[in-house]
Amino acid sequence: MTKEEIRLAESNTRKKHWKRWGPYLSERAWGTVREDYSPDGKAWEYLPHDHARSRAYRWNEDGLAGISDRRQMICFALALWNERDPILKERIFGLTGNEGNHGEDVKEYYFYLDSTPSHSYMKYLYKYPQAEYPYATLVEENRQRDRGQPEFELLNTGVFDEDRYFDVFVEYAKADVEEILIKITVTNRGPADANLRVLPTTWFRNTWSWGNRTGRPKLHEARPVPDPVIELNLSPVNQTRSNTRWLHCEGSPELLFTENETNARRLFGIENLTRFVKDGINDYLVHGVEEAVNPEHVGTKAAAHYKLSVGSGETVTIRMRLTDTDFKGKNAFDTFDKTFALRRREADDFYATLIPQDLSADAQNVMRQGFAGMFWSKQFYHYVVKDWLRGDPDNPTPPQERRKGRNHQWTHLYNADVISMPDKWEYPWYAAWDLAFHCIPLALADPEFAKEQLTLMLREWYMHPNGQIPAYEWALGDVNPPVHAWAAWRVYKIDKKRTGKGDREFLKRILHKLMLNFTWWVNRKDAEGMNIFQGGFLGLDNIGVFDRSAPLPTGGYLEQSDGTSWMAMYTLNLLAIAMELAKEDPCYEDVASKFWEHFVYIAHAMSHRGRNRMGLWNEEDGFFYDVLKLPDGTQFPMKIRSMVGLIPLFAVETLEPEALNRLPDFKRRLEWFIDNRPDLTENVSCMRSMRMGERRLLSIANEDQLRRILNYMLDEREFLSPYGIRALSQFHRENPYSLHVNGTQHRVDYEPGESTTGVFGGNSNWRGPIWFPLNFLLVESLQKFHHYLGNDFKVEFPTGSGNMKTLWEVAGELSRRMTNIFLRDEKGHRPVFGNLTKFQTDPHWRDLILFHECFHGDSGSGLGASHQTGWTGVVTKLMQQSGEFDRNKTEPEVTHCAGDR
């Protein structure tokens, strides 16, 4: 075992709490639902960026390159000032949903470069301009642009011209659980000397202003310069070692103290409750207000002020140590460099066991940064809906409108945990279906954390009493695709492959809770009880001609191809879990039989609804569509060639003969059903075939349907892009889908880049871009089909080329196209960076990888949230299993699927 694996084992058995400290600060706490106490739910406007420096947060803290303990009682982050900005750079800036011409968008350059799962070593890079940061210019220019124009980015302002910026690296290394070494390295990339103020800052999350009568913590100067020390007391009346920390600061920085309290005078024009407030250090430095900081050197927020002058090309290093040990009379930095070097080496050793060594150095770098993004994206997430709706004692009563407003039906929800975030700036809140995909790459490096995340969403204080899984804070009751069971099954298989033993207790806990969620789906989302499901937008935002989360302008409802297919996939995932558990406990054979029957009914309903009923399969076109059901009984297919019609391919599973023979009761029921209900099983693929031995295939699509769907999917004039599968067929570029309702035209065009509509805020587009989570599921589905159909089943790739490939080869080619988004091509360019010359050619930028939310359907350039390693992090799994893909490589007939390794 590597040293990092030993640390993980110690953490899992609670022998040593290596994960007590981590990157649990958000990049943004302002503009969130949690901090919104407005009557109309306008979270962006209630607590904007301009208020963030002055207002104490109620629920979560944020900071630049920050860390905290897992309860976020003590925080540490970086603040910077170039002596030109109007405010300290304490947090990442970006545009709100209403300011950006394509919705909210971060306007900074920062990168997660490295992190082990235990956070024993972490590295972060922030690029700070030496010119005044153009806050107003970014807001005004983007506000003037319409949705047809590109976003105006920080590079476009010219502040990085002539390389007049600082590279600020922040590294952490744990000497022990409570011994955190901190190194801040500043390099001047510009042509001239430049001044920089560096302010490593520590503070307490404000837990005392909300009427809960908890004791007020205190930090104070323990020793002056040189090498000053800040002492942090969580409980000043009980100063035990467990309640006390010391921040050792090398050199002779000026220590500045204030309080983490709201500056009510600045924000609301009323008197402050305390003399010193949250933005006191900002006012002291930027505005020269000497009385803004506490001369007694005590408070709840403090910074070590380093005043630097950095020559062109020069590097300056600052060293600090946050610890539960007072090194009084000793040098706190004696073994500092040695420990840092050791932790870096141990991180290299750990990732050498995960990252295939036959990958190119470029591909290894992409994988390493992919894992770094996954682990840096952890965040302490705090939200107690009952308290949020009711308001806090000693604080203004929230408006009455909130009692029937957002999330008012989720008063049981009590969140106070470290959770994997989609993007800690753009989406600093968990999203249940995103999280399912996060757990795949997380399981490669830290399967216990992945299992904890999946289990957490099903705990009683998360899952609604009716069985619904919370979606996200903007609307906890929204409906996301039911992928939790898929993720749990894949994490189980990955963990079993790594350790040689499956965690069956984990599977049992997951299955029992997911049966409640499955029942919620069946009772709430099958309008006619006919096994055809609705669900609303189902995570695909603007993919339909209507907003699928709102009442239809036509009246009636949609029978959704994707909603029904997700449910078919869900039944197969639960079937697989039940069959695995039935190997040791026969009681689960009954459960397996139940989900097998559910799948059969759903598969039958998708293709055949009986007289005067319309199935979701369109035989004329050879594709699955949503069906619009109008109040007068009229029904017709919505003929949009989109990912909605490809999602039925996800509902595929094989039953191995040895598994069936070990479950005689389940096999007998299955055989009875096949013999006695041919009317239902005729659409379930290959139930009697002897292909590939006695293996059975369960799939919505039969062989003919599969070929016809793949004919579209693998056509470069339709779905197939050089970088994966588009969410909408390119066919709709020249042939937009249009529907007139009540004098209004509703239309879907092929849009491979940013959205030109305002549906779902306009910052997410499913009408042409490439989305990694669904592409990952397509790769896995093709592998499963190949597992049954074998090397004799071939399709044209691309359609019309005459080049025949097995489905395994097609899956590999799709994987390669996806991973190539991040890899340098023959010209040294990365498609993800598009036409950004700085990122393509500058040696200090070109190897810094951004894992975007989605990617341009034609060029592969990054779109949407720029730090959504979250579900785009599945690229690490693709690279691990397929490498950089040799076009001449052939695979055996029986192969492993994407989640099994």
Side-chain angles (χ1 to χ4, degrees):
M1 294 175 72
T2 65
K3 292 292 186 181
E4 177 63 14
E5 289 172 310
I6 292 172
R7 279 189 284 270
L8 290 175
E10 290 175 339
S11 177
N12 295 338
T13 58
R14 299 184 182 275
K15 182 179 180 181
K16 296 189 75 173
H17 298 285
W18 284 103
K19 297 179 187 174
R20 180 174 293 155
W21 290 83
Y24 308 143
L25 278 185
S26 179
E27 303 287 4
R28 174 175 66 86
W30 59 273
T32 60
V33 166
R34 282 154 287 153
E35 299 294 340
D36 174 28
Y37 285 79
S38 68
D40 50 13
K42 293 181 179 179
W44 285 111
E45 286 72 29
Y46 182 78
L47 204 168
H49 177 268
D50 183 56
H51 288 196
R53 68 182 181 275
S54 304
R55 189 163 186 163
Y57 293 130
R58 169 63 175 90
W59 298 99
N60 288 91
E61 296 291 330
D62 59 15
L64 191 63
I67 62 171
S68 76
D69 63 276
R70 64 179 302 110
R71 308 305 295 174
Q72 205 166 94
M73 303 303 291
I74 298 174
C75 306
F76 176 91
L78 186 64
L80 301 166
W81 188 45
N82 57 15
E83 300 182 352
R84 291 182 172 87
D85 283 355
I87 58 174
L88 292 183
K89 178 63 68 175
E90 294 182 275
R91 56 188 51 81
I92 297 295
F93 174 74
L95 304 183
T96 71
N98 295 325
E99 290 172 339
N101 59 320
H102 294 289
E104 62 263 33
D105 187 49
V106 70
K107 298 299 181 184
E108 307 263 20
Y109 297 114
Y110 60 103
F111 306 89
Y112 304 132
L113 299 184
D114 210 354
S115 179
T116 58
S118 72
H119 312 296
S120 58
Y121 176 71
M122 299 190 295
K123 188 175 185 179
Y124 182 111
L125 169 62
Y126 175 70
K127 291 183 176 287
Y128 187 39
Q130 294 169 5
E132 180 180 341
Y133 188 91
Y135 291 103
T137 301
L138 286 166
V139 173
E140 291 164 7
E141 180 62 32
N142 279 284
R143 185 176 283 152
Q144 292 172 10
R145 296 190 175 198
D146 61 33
R147 296 190 185 279
Q149 295 176 285
E151 295 171 338
F152 184 70
E153 304 291 1
L154 186 57
L155 274 172
N156 301 134
T157 67
V159 294
F160 287 97
D161 290 357
E162 299 181 295
D163 292 330
R164 293 182 183 272
Y165 69 92
F166 298 103
D167 266 342
V168 183
F169 295 92
V170 182
E171 295 173 88
Y172 299 93
K174 292 181 181 177
D176 208 331
V177 171
E178 294 283 355
E179 292 276 346
I180 304 170
L181 311 183
I182 305 164
K183 180 159 64 174
I184 301 164
T185 306
V186 178
T187 299
N188 180 358
R189 300 294 184 197
D193 296 356
N195 295 333
L196 178 66
R197 311 292 184 94
V198 180
L199 295 103
T201 304
T202 186
W203 71 99
F204 297 109
R205 177 167 63 90
N206 188 323
T207 58
W208 57 86
S209 294
W210 322 113
N212 52 15
R213 310 304 180 193
T214 60
R216 187 187 187 94
K218 182 180 77 171
L219 45 81
H220 67 275
E221 180 184 290
R223 287 191 291 281
V225 294
D227 299 339
V229 178
I230 299 172
E231 183 174 320
L232 301 92
N233 301 122
L234 281 166
S235 178
V237 298
N238 183 20
Q239 296 186 31
T240 62
R241 180 175 176 180
S242 63
N243 285 325
T244 307
R245 304 293 186 277
W246 289 266
L247 180 63
H248 300 266
C249 312
E250 190 177 43
S252 299
E254 176 187 17
L255 298 187
L256 304 173
F257 291 79
T258 189
E259 301 289 345
N260 186 15
E261 294 275 11
T262 296
N263 186 345
R265 182 183 297 127
R266 173 180 179 259
L267 297 178
F268 313 119
I270 61 177
E271 285 304 306
N272 291 324
L273 297 176
T274 57
R275 178 182 171 189
F276 305 103
V277 288
K278 183 177 178 180
D279 54 10
I281 296 172
N282 175 89
D283 291 351
Y284 172 81
L285 281 176
V286 178
H287 304 299
V289 183
E290 293 190 9
E291 60 271 23
V293 295
N294 192 335
E296 301 297 323
H297 285 199
V298 297
T300 49
K301 177 181 178 180
H305 174 209
Y306 290 87
K307 188 175 182 179
L308 307 181
S309 179
V310 188
S312 173
E314 290 185 354
T315 297
V316 176
T317 299
I318 295 169
R319 303 193 304 177
M320 309 184 82
R321 185 169 192 150
L322 179 62
T323 171
D324 63 350
T325 301
D326 182 0
F327 283 87
K328 190 173 184 179
K330 299 178 183 179
N331 186 349
F333 302 96
D334 258 353
T335 60
F336 188 97
D337 293 337
K338 181 179 178 180
T339 302
F340 246 102
L342 179 61
R343 292 295 180 261
R344 279 196 296 263
R345 188 164 62 251
E346 290 169 355
D348 291 341
D349 292 342
F350 174 73
Y351 280 115
T353 69
L354 289 183
I355 299 174
Q357 297 305 293
D358 59 352
L359 290 180
S360 66
D362 186 35
Q364 290 188 42
N365 175 54
V366 171
M367 277 194 74
R368 184 76 170 256
Q369 290 190 49
F371 283 118
M374 295 303 307
F375 290 116
W376 268 97
S377 294
K378 294 181 183 180
Q379 177 185 312
F380 173 71
Y381 182 87
H382 191 203
Y383 186 29
V384 181
V385 171
K386 178 170 63 67
D387 293 346
W388 177 76
L389 289 172
R390 182 180 55 195
D392 299 305
D394 304 331
N395 284 270
T397 302
Q400 287 296 313
E401 294 91 329
R402 291 163 50 81
R403 294 183 179 274
K404 295 297 181 181
R406 176 178 286 134
N407 298 333
H408 73 276
Q409 295 179 327
W410 288 76
T411 54
H412 73 287
L413 191 113
Y414 191 110
N415 296 168
D417 298 282
V418 172
I419 304 177
S420 177
M421 296 291 125
D423 178 318
K424 289 206 297 186
W425 191 91
E426 191 144 338
Y427 304 119
W429 29 263
Y430 65 82
W433 88 294
D434 296 56
L435 183 64
F437 290 96
H438 300 184
C439 288
I440 305 307
L442 287 172
L444 295 176
D446 189 358
E448 289 304 314
F449 180 69
K451 288 184 283 187
E452 290 169 5
Q453 293 290 285
L454 291 169
T455 303
L456 186 64
M457 291 295 120
L458 305 180
R459 300 306 298 264
E460 304 85 87
W461 48 93
Y462 281 75
M463 177 185 273
H464 197 280
N466 66 18
Q468 186 178 9
I469 297 173
Y472 40 75
E473 65 177 31
W474 286 91
L476 291 167
D478 260 2
V479 183
N480 283 170
V483 290
H484 220 77
W486 166 81
W489 178 234
R490 286 300 165 222
V491 167
Y492 172 84
K493 298 283 279 185
I494 291 170
D495 185 33
K496 186 176 181 180
K497 185 76 175 181
R498 282 177 55 85
T499 65
K501 182 180 180 181
D503 187 347
R504 304 176 71 81
E505 290 304 311
F506 161 70
L507 271 193
K508 289 179 183 177
R509 288 196 300 271
I510 287 287
L511 179 60
H512 294 164
K513 286 298 186 72
L514 285 180
M515 289 174 69
L516 298 176
N517 178 247
F518 183 84
T519 302
W520 175 84
W521 268 92
V522 170
N523 290 338
R524 299 296 183 94
K525 296 300 175 181
D526 179 6
E528 295 184 339
M530 297 294 290
N531 297 291
I532 294 291
F533 292 84
Q534 296 83 53
F537 86 112
L538 285 174
L540 306 187
D541 294 14
N542 66 342
I543 201 165
V545 71
F546 304 129
D547 179 348
R548 301 196 303 172
S549 277
L552 300 181
T554 59
Y557 60 90
L558 279 177
E559 292 185 334
Q560 293 181 219
S561 175
D562 55 338
T564 306
S565 302
W566 285 121
M567 281 301 289
M569 174 185 168
Y570 196 3
T571 61
L572 292 181
N573 299 146
L574 293 171
L575 169 63
I577 292 172
M579 290 183 66
E580 177 72 9
L581 294 174
K583 291 177 181 179
E584 295 184 6
D585 186 345
C587 291
Y588 287 98
E589 290 189 60
D590 292 341
V591 178
S593 296
K594 177 65 174 175
F595 289 119
W596 143 250
E597 291 182 17
H598 266 295
F599 172 74
V600 170
Y601 285 116
I602 293 171
H604 174 76
M606 283 199 71
S607 294
H608 180 72
R609 296 295 304 278
R611 188 176 65 181
N612 297 326
R613 295 281 187 171
M614 183 175 293
L616 303 179
W617 172 255
N618 188 277
E619 182 62 27
E620 179 183 5
D621 290 1
F623 204 70
F624 285 101
Y625 298 118
D626 287 347
V627 172
L628 178 60
K629 301 290 292 291
L630 298 176
D632 64 1
T634 304
Q635 55 186 339
F636 59 89
M638 309 281 283
K639 291 194 172 186
I640 304 170
R641 294 213 280 269
S642 74
M643 188 63 74
V644 165
L646 302 182
I647 288 174
L649 298 182
F650 299 166
V652 55
E653 193 61 73
T654 55
L655 301 181
E656 301 298 320
E658 57 270 24
L660 284 174
N661 291 333
R662 291 179 61 181
L663 307 176
D665 288 345
F666 173 73
K667 183 178 181 181
R668 184 171 60 253
R669 293 175 194 132
L670 180 143
E671 298 286 1
W672 182 92
F673 212 89
I674 294 171
D675 291 339
N676 292 277
R677 295 301 307 269
D679 57 315
L680 294 177
T681 59
E682 63 184 359
N683 289 109
V684 180
S685 296
C686 308
M687 288 309 303
R688 285 295 194 187
S689 173
M690 298 298 288
R691 189 193 295 266
M692 302 299 290
E694 295 182 3
R695 184 175 297 140
R696 308 291 182 95
L697 177 70
L698 304 182
S699 168
I700 283 179
N702 59 35
E703 284 191 40
D704 177 65
Q705 290 172 329
L706 176 63
R707 286 190 182 277
R708 297 183 71 183
I709 293 170
L710 293 181
N711 188 62
Y712 289 113
M713 189 178 99
L714 303 181
D715 190 332
E716 292 177 316
R717 298 163 300 178
E718 298 259 5
F719 288 97
L720 182 62
S721 159
Y723 306 102
I725 300 300
R726 304 175 175 107
L728 185 78
S729 170
Q730 201 177 54
F731 168 80
H732 292 297
R733 187 198 302 274
E734 303 297 331
N735 302 276
Y737 181 85
S738 181
L739 187 65
H740 290 268
V741 178
N742 300 326
T744 301
Q745 182 188 46
H746 300 265
R747 175 172 166 148
V748 174
D749 294 83
Y750 174 69
E751 300 179 77
E754 298 283 6
S755 172
T756 61
T757 75
V759 178
F760 283 87
N763 68 325
S764 183
N765 184 22
W766 287 80
R767 295 182 177 181
I770 296 149
W771 292 79
F772 263 63
L774 299 197
N775 271 257
F776 185 85
L777 288 176
L778 285 171
V779 167
E780 180 183 277
S781 297
L782 291 173
Q783 291 175 328
K784 288 182 177 181
F785 277 115
H786 174 81
H787 188 53
Y788 178 83
L789 297 171
N791 287 340
D792 292 338
F793 187 95
K794 296 185 177 182
V795 294
E796 273 191 306
F797 186 90
T799 299
S801 68
N803 183 21
M804 306 301 292
K805 289 183 178 290
T806 67
L807 296 185
W808 180 271
E809 291 169 332
V810 172
E813 177 66 16
L814 290 179
S815 294
R816 184 190 66 80
R817 291 183 180 219
M818 293 163 67
T819 57
N820 278 353
I821 288 174
F822 304 101
L823 299 174
R824 289 186 191 157
D825 61 20
E826 60 278 2
K827 296 180 180 179
H829 288 188
R830 302 183 195 277
V832 63
F833 294 145
N835 59 2
L836 297 175
T837 303
K838 193 88 174 163
F839 275 96
Q840 296 288 15
T841 61
D842 191 306
H844 300 300
W845 294 69
R846 66 186 183 190
D847 292 326
L848 304 172
I849 311 301
L850 292 175
F851 298 87
H852 286 260
E853 182 179 6
C854 58
F855 303 87
H856 194 285
D858 297 335
S859 71
S861 59
L863 301 172
S866 58
H867 288 72
Q868 196 159 345
T869 316
W871 63 17
T872 302
V874 296
V875 68
T876 58
K877 185 71 180 80
L878 293 174
M879 296 182 81
Q880 187 224 31
Q881 72 189 21
S882 298
E884 290 167 276
F885 195 70
D886 181 352
R887 290 175 179 269
N888 298 315
K889 183 179 179 180
T890 58
E891 292 292 335
E893 288 188 351
V894 179
T895 59
H896 294 281
C897 293
D900 295 347
R901 294 183 178 178

